Amino acid sequence: EIVLTQSPATLSLSPGGRATLSCRASQSVSCCLGWYQQKPGQAPRLLIYDTDNRATGIPARFSGSGSGTDFTLTISRLEPEDFGVYYCQQGIHWPTFGQGTKVEIK
Amino acid sequence: EVQLAESGGGLIHPGESLRLSCAASGFTVSSNYINWVRQTPGKGLEWISIMYPNGDTYYAASLRGRFTISRDQSQNTFYLHINSLRTDDTAIYYCAGSGSPNRGDYWGQGVLLTVSS
């Protein structure tokens, strides 16, 4: 099983700030990594797939990058609705998720 | 607009069986990848099962044997059967669909399954 480790566990930022979330895989996942946002009481929502492709309807302030074992989700200017928990997920082998990074209002 | 709606959760006793349903609209279950994922506070998000458009099915290695994914083309609905329920099956269960494998483009709202005596 591929283990995904996300950092930091919590990110405290102000609206308008820049968020940088990291995801490290225990082995190479090639390009097959995605990012999801989850808010309390809601299902995960796909933001990014295959490293750097925004899902339908996702604003341009969300961007993904990386390769191999190291990946990054960047939110360029945080909006109030962006606060929540973010998960990375690999799909090169049996799908697994990271443990999540909580983005909270500072 | 794609909508997925789960049903069938609730309070179930250990050892019993259950079927969760996921009714789809705006999304054809027989021609897409359909998935079940569960979430617990302790283990986080866990991918349970996938069905390919050709009908092939796959399961998490740790869960193989008690879980069965199926679909009904006429109802545009897919299912997760769980046998011999255990207390550690307690979770929110999500159905998810996608045009690509191993990805969740669309998600249901989730259904809570509590296994307890």
Side-chain angles (χ1 to χ4, degrees):
Chain A
E1 174 181 301
I2 295 178
V3 176
L4 300 178
T5 303
Q6 293 187 239
S7 61
T10 303
L11 201 52
S12 298
L13 294 167
S14 302
R18 180 183 182 91
T20 303
L21 288 68
S22 295
C23 178
R24 174 164 288 178
S26 58
Q27 62 188 82
S28 177
V29 299
S30 185
C31 69
C32 298
L33 188 112
W35 293 90
Y36 297 79
Q37 175 195 66
Q38 188 177 33
K39 297 181 181 180
Q42 296 184 18
R45 177 175 71 141
L46 180 67
L47 301 174
I48 301 288
Y49 64 93
D50 291 348
T51 302
D52 57 4
N53 295 278
R54 278 189 298 277
T56 302
I58 301 304
R61 64 180 182 273
F62 291 91
S63 63
S65 62
S67 64
T69 60
D70 291 293
F71 298 85
T72 300
L73 174 70
T74 302
I75 312 172
S76 59
R77 289 180 58 86
L78 280 162
E79 298 285 343
E81 63 267 27
D82 297 337
F83 294 93
V85 181
Y86 290 79
Y87 296 95
C88 57
Q89 179 247 315
Q90 63 79 21
I92 191 71
H93 294 297
W94 185 257
T96 54
F97 292 89
Q99 82 281 14
T101 290
K102 182 179 182 180
V103 178
E104 63 179 22
I105 299 174
K106 186 173 182 180
Chain B
E1 181 190 8
V2 174
Q3 291 190 328
L4 302 177
E6 301 96 340
S7 60
L11 176 60
I12 306 294
H13 296 130
E16 294 182 344
S17 299
L18 177 81
R19 186 184 78 170
L20 301 177
S21 301
C22 181
S25 61
F27 178 87
T28 304
V29 301
S30 60
S31 56
N32 285 282
Y33 296 84
I34 56 177
N35 311 270
W36 287 94
V37 178
R38 68 183 182 182
Q39 185 172 30
T40 61
K43 295 186 71 175
L45 288 159
E46 180 179 26
W47 212 287
I48 301 170
S49 182
I50 305 168
M51 179 179 277
Y52 279 35
N54 67 1
D56 288 349
T57 58
Y58 300 91
Y59 300 91
S62 60
L63 302 177
R64 204 169 291 145
R66 295 193 301 118
F67 292 73
T68 303
I69 190 171
S70 61
R71 68 189 180 195
D72 183 333
Q73 184 174 341
S74 67
Q75 298 292 319
N76 206 35
T77 297
F78 58 105
Y79 306 96
L80 183 69
H81 301 250
I82 314 174
N83 296 322
S84 303
L85 278 157
R86 311 189 311 213
T87 56
D88 62 359
D89 291 320
T90 295
I92 297 173
Y93 285 76
Y94 295 100
C95 59
S98 178
S100 297
N102 297 356
R103 198 169 93 193
D105 291 47
Y106 312 105
W107 293 68
Q109 80 283 0
V111 64
L112 176 62
L113 171 62
T114 302
V115 183
S116 175
S117 55

